[in-house]
Amino acid sequence: MELKLYNTLNAKKEIFTPLDAKNVRIYVCGPTVYDHAHIGNARPVIVFDLLYRLLRHVYGPDHVTYARNITDVDDKINARAVEEGVPINEITARTTKQFHDDIAALGTLAPDIEPRATDHIEQMKALIARLVEKGNAYVAQGHVLFHVPSMADYGKLSKRSLDEMEAGARVEVAPYKKDPMDFVLWKPSKEGEPAWDSPCGIEEPGRPGWHIECSAMAAEHLGKTFDIHGGGVDLVFPHHENEIAQTRCGFGTGMMAQVWMHNGYLQVEGRKMSKSEGNFITLRDVLKEWPGEAVRLAMLTTHYRQPINWTGAGVREAKRTLDHWYRLTEDAEPGCAMSADMLQAIGDDLNTPKALTAMHRLRSEAAHGDKDAAASLKACGRFMGVLNMTAKDWKNWRPVSVEIDDGQVEQLIAARLEARRSKDYTEADRLRDELAAMGVALKDGPEGTTWEIAR
């Protein structure tokens, strides 16, 4: 099966050929664990989980290594610990568990490796020392900084010149910098902050900068060069640009990763998500109101490289689609072959909208009694990370805010059907209204009456 992936580095879609087909390696920037993940954080988790599934399908599960890091040393973590008056490790332990619980609800596979920044301080210090030795970094007032002009093609990933990057970046003004674009590899720790012995002869204890963390962790677990590096488009500059600089200069390689993939931005109801806008939504809050598979499917309806507009209507439609798929595949065995059209679409730079179109064709065939189509739909769904529950468990899922007695609902539906058979339409309407007041929506069809939580 031929895979095509859009490479941000070359700004085009290319046929993917791994460096070693027996050891395909992918690194994705993971969370900074200081708070609940928000709905925007869910997008790269879902996108690169699908890529991981695809690579495992093509090359075999034993030949793919997926690393997604945990950033557990950061200014935001320090600030949250001070705000709550608790130790830093209490913040990181709690929020890491929250992250794991939330993304598990999205049907994601666990990465093969989940390195934590604080477990790789020595690797970071060693890389920093190499950069200083090679003349790409320098020590200044207890800091170690990467000297951006020392790398001739810095800016290749983001396609911007140094002048453009400086004009558009929030550059920290510091008198000890040789160049305004130079960025921190190591810095002094303030009182109460995490601290380690510093590299390069610096006497004061300190801690790493953000960018060096991923360079060190990726090199430790995937090698100095590997296949794919992923993350959100917001990480292209400066984070990924700086990772490339550190890694290539430190190890003397021509590249860090051969393919760089980035998912698009997320908006909420057409607006940028922010606390000031009043539309900041945590993933935990979304999962209280919608099943994780519906959240996942709603994300996959938009191509990963395009901006996505998160709406209540979108996740509602995803939930209804899954309601239908679960009913059609209830008795199907997923061993049937997946749709070739669906696989071809996913293999073409994760074209999920086209893949879902292929799955809707299967749905239509299954609705007309084609059992092979139903089995293929289930197999495709599971490949996409949905249809993993039993039809009964799916039907019984309830939002946290809703308490409904299924037995009572079924009794009222039976009573309404009896009233309709008796042509007592006034009573039938009254029973429908009673069910609606309970939060139940009815759907009358050829196969009888079904119900769902009203939205």
Side-chain angles (χ1 to χ4, degrees), residues 417-437:
L417 291 174
E418 182 59 35
R420 293 181 69 186
R421 278 194 290 267
S422 302
K423 298 186 178 181
D424 187 349
Y425 299 114
T426 300
E427 175 65 3
D429 289 344
R430 186 194 70 77
L431 289 164
R432 175 185 281 274
D433 291 343
E434 183 177 345
L435 286 160

Side-chain angles (χ1 to χ4, degrees), residues 69-81:
N69 75 292
I70 295 286
T71 296
D72 59 351
V73 52
D74 184 83
D75 290 341
K76 293 178 180 178
I77 298 171
N78 299 338
R80 181 54 56 87

Side-chain angles (χ1 to χ4, degrees), residues 264-283:
Y265 288 107
L266 178 140
Q267 293 184 318
V268 174
E269 302 289 349
R271 296 181 299 155
K272 181 179 179 180
M273 183 175 66
S274 70
K275 291 181 179 178
S276 61
E277 287 280 343
N279 65 348
F280 187 87
I281 306 173
T282 68
L283 179 55

Side-chain angles (χ1 to χ4, degrees), residues 161-207:
S161 67
L162 283 177
D163 289 341
E164 289 173 323
M165 286 186 280
E166 185 176 344
R170 295 178 179 178
V171 177
E172 179 189 359
V173 178
Y176 49 79
K177 283 188 175 184
K178 292 183 179 180
D179 186 274
M181 286 300 295
D182 293 352
F183 58 88
V184 171
L185 303 175
W186 190 267
K187 57 186 174 181
S189 293
K190 299 175 184 177
E191 186 176 352
E193 293 181 342
W196 292 267
D197 290 340
S198 297
C200 306
I202 299 172
E203 293 183 2
E204 302 89 348
R207 57 194 177 94

Side-chain angles (χ1 to χ4, degrees), residues 203-248:
E203 293 183 2
E204 302 89 348
R207 57 194 177 94
W210 174 33
H211 311 302
I212 196 69
E213 297 176 6
C214 285
S215 285
M217 287 186 282
E220 176 70 12
H221 295 285
L222 301 182
K224 299 171 184 177
T225 61
F226 52 92
D227 294 292
I228 301 170
H229 196 313
V233 69
D234 57 308
L235 298 180
V236 172
F237 179 81
H239 186 51
H240 288 169
E241 197 76 74
N242 291 349
E243 278 190 61
I244 291 173
Q246 296 160 161
T247 299
R248 285 182 52 199

Side-chain angles (χ1 to χ4, degrees), residues 206-437:
R207 57 194 177 94
W210 174 33
H211 311 302
I212 196 69
E213 297 176 6
C214 285
S215 285
M217 287 186 282
E220 176 70 12
H221 295 285
L222 301 182
K224 299 171 184 177
T225 61
F226 52 92
D227 294 292
I228 301 170
H229 196 313
V233 69
D234 57 308
L235 298 180
V236 172
F237 179 81
H239 186 51
H240 288 169
E241 197 76 74
N242 291 349
E243 278 190 61
I244 291 173
Q246 296 160 161
T247 299
R248 285 182 52 199
C249 292
F251 296 119
T253 57
M255 67 176 183
M256 180 181 182
Q258 65 166 343
V259 178
W260 289 79
M261 297 178 66
H262 296 92
N263 62 272
Y265 288 107
L266 178 140
Q267 293 184 318
V268 174
E269 302 289 349
R271 296 181 299 155
K272 181 179 179 180
M273 183 175 66
S274 70
K275 291 181 179 178
S276 61
E277 287 280 343
N279 65 348
F280 187 87
I281 306 173
T282 68
L283 179 55
R284 178 65 55 93
D285 286 340
V286 170
L287 292 170
K288 288 178 181 177
E289 297 302 315
W290 298 100
E293 288 192 4
V295 176
R296 183 184 181 100
L297 186 61
M299 288 281 187
L300 295 176
T301 57
T302 299
H303 191 279
Y304 81 93
R305 285 193 285 115
Q306 299 301 314
I308 188 172
N309 185 27
W310 177 263
T311 65
V315 70
R316 184 180 301 111
E317 181 59 30
K319 169 68 165 56
R320 288 174 177 167
T321 294
L322 286 166
D323 288 341
H324 196 190
W325 287 0
Y326 267 103
R327 286 196 295 271
L328 290 172
T329 62
E330 182 174 5
D331 299 321
E333 293 295 333
C336 182
M338 288 185 280
S339 160
D341 290 343
M342 187 278 290
L343 281 174
Q344 183 179 25
I346 295 298
D348 184 13
D349 194 35
L350 305 184
N351 191 337
T352 52
K354 190 174 181 180
L356 291 174
T357 297
M359 292 175 68
H360 284 307
R361 286 197 294 268
L362 290 174
R363 177 205 61 188
S364 179
E365 294 166 7
H368 287 87
D370 188 330
K371 292 185 178 180
D372 287 340
S376 185
L377 176 60
K378 179 175 276 192
C380 290
R382 291 191 171 177
F383 176 83
M384 297 280 278
V386 298
L387 298 182
N388 288 306
M389 300 169 65
T390 66
K392 180 180 179 182
D393 287 344
W394 175 260
K395 186 176 185 299
N396 289 339
W397 185 91
R398 297 287 180 272
V400 171
S401 59
V402 174
E403 294 184 9
I404 292 178
D405 184 331
D406 287 26
Q408 183 184 8
V409 170
E410 297 295 347
Q411 288 178 2
L412 291 172
I413 290 175
R416 174 176 173 269
L417 291 174
E418 182 59 35
R420 293 181 69 186
R421 278 194 290 267
S422 302
K423 298 186 178 181
D424 187 349
Y425 299 114
T426 300
E427 175 65 3
D429 289 344
R430 186 194 70 77
L431 289 164
R432 175 185 281 274
D433 291 343
E434 183 177 345
L435 286 160

